[in-house]
Amino acid sequence: MTTVRRGAAAFAAAAVLCAALAPAASAAPAPSATPAPVIPAGLYGTKDPTYDGVWRQSLAFIAQRTTGVQPAEQAVTWLQRQQCDSGAFSSYRPDPAKSCDPATMLDTNATAVAVHALAAVKPESADPEALAKAVKAGAGWLKGVQNKDGGWGYNPGSPSDANSTSLVIGTLAALGQKPGEVKSAEGKTPYDALLGFAVPCSTKDGAGAFAYQPDKNGKLLANADATAAATLAGLGKGITARGVKPEQSPTCTDLAKPTAERAARNGASHLAGALAKTGHLNTPPMPGAADPAVQPDYGNTADAVVALAATGATKEATGALTWLQKNAPAWAKENGPAAYAQLILAANAMGVDPRAFGSVDLVKELSATGPAPQSTPEPTASAGDRAEDGKSGSFNVWWIIGIGTVVGVGIGFLVSGRKK
């Protein structure tokens, strides 16, 4: 779960690369200054929302709910209006009054995380029946676009990838369903797809990791982003997972008959080894870079902390969390709501107060990126009330009962999201 969505980053990088490789032409007039993006009322953040509007809004809600903060009704309404009639979401729709059509780029990641977010907000913040219907429709759409191999791709019909599959698994878990019971027409489960991305422990490079997808030759290459996501998903958990007891150091073991849980613990072993070197993960070099600069990857480091804590490897995650407390606030300030949300989720996983994250109040900073929250509890009000094992911030009991009473759908729905 990276802060700046990989799709947007890849698009921007491609644009720069194309510009650099373009043949020289006659001098053109200097371009005018780029106008500031138009930020709709209710949307978190100040940057162009084209590639991450729904994503950053949803992550903000989920992180806020783990701390007991209730987003403003205006913000919730904005997210609801982004949904298509089919139940799906795209990355961002500038004119939600216009119906989605075949040209609308539907996005499994945005849909998953948005449904999770709408399920997490308190029903009294908006029409409970409308929220429940939105969750049901989004979950139904996700099930309807499950690939034959049991997984999901970034867009419906695209090949499955570890990140998208993991996000939907995490959503299923957060919404009360059993991911292993969601099967494709061919009888494949999300876990079947996930195991297809697991790098064996016997592999020299990247042992225990997960690949985003096989490369063009079918080889599995270790990917930190995919590994953090799939480690959570293999345990049947999502992004609000918390540390578990007893603590246990992760190991890498190949089984004759692989299981998703074993693959997840192998993934934790890989992450622990990567973090042990510097206390943080690094960004991968840009393709074609002559002298690739190594930069800390704050977002993936935060995701790795959540994944390790969920496996019980809190000892191995402690150093990375300390590094984030010291170094990540400036990164979050620059990158906005989704970055603050990732740090809050890392703090949540480790049982650390996000209001005292180093010298920064992450909850206050996140809330300041959007409309003033409808309610913000005192710092101690929700500290002991958050559920463990990935269920915090998803539902309260009256919301569950309300869903069953109003729309008769129980508590099983889908969610979670992101593209490499």
Side-chain angles (χ1 to χ4, degrees), residues 73 75-83 89 118 126-127 130-131 134:
E73 186 169 349
V76 176
T77 299
W78 181 89
L79 185 57
Q80 285 180 277
R81 294 188 66 206
Q82 287 288 304
Q83 190 173 33
F89 286 78
L118 291 176
D127 181 351
L131 283 173

Side-chain angles (χ1 to χ4, degrees), residues 288-345:
D291 185 20
V294 176
Q295 299 291 337
D297 192 328
Y298 301 91
N300 278 339
T301 299
D303 295 344
V305 168
V306 178
L308 286 171
T311 67
T314 50
K315 179 181 178 181
E316 286 73 13
T318 299
L321 184 70
T322 300
W323 182 86
L324 288 169
Q325 289 174 312
K326 181 179 179 180
N327 298 284
W331 163 80
K333 184 176 182 179
E334 168 62 24
N335 287 278
Y340 281 120
Q342 283 181 279
L343 296 181
I344 289 174
L345 293 172

Side-chain angles (χ1 to χ4, degrees), residues 200 202 224 376 406:
S202 57
T376 302
V406 175

Side-chain angles (χ1 to χ4, degrees), residues 369-380:
T369 66
Q374 183 175 336
S375 63
T376 302
E378 292 299 320
T380 57

Side-chain angles (χ1 to χ4, degrees), residues 64-156:
Q64 285 179 317
R65 293 304 299 133
T66 66
T67 67
V69 173
Q70 173 58 32
E73 186 169 349
Q74 180 189 40
V76 176
T77 299
W78 181 89
L79 185 57
Q80 285 180 277
R81 294 188 66 206
Q82 287 288 304
Q83 190 173 33
C84 298
D85 291 340
S86 65
F89 286 78
S90 64
S91 298
Y92 172 69
R93 293 201 294 139
D95 184 9
K98 181 181 178 181
S99 297
C100 299
D101 57 34
T104 303
M105 294 294 292
L106 302 180
D107 178 341
T108 63
N109 291 214
T111 300
V113 75
V115 175
H116 189 170
L118 291 176
V121 296
K122 287 185 177 180
E124 59 264 30
S125 69
D127 181 351
E129 183 175 2
L131 283 173
K133 287 182 177 179
V135 172
K136 181 182 180 181
W141 181 82
L142 285 167
K143 288 181 179 180
V145 298
Q146 185 179 20
N147 287 336
K148 293 180 179 180
D149 63 5
W152 285 265
Y154 184 73
N155 300 114

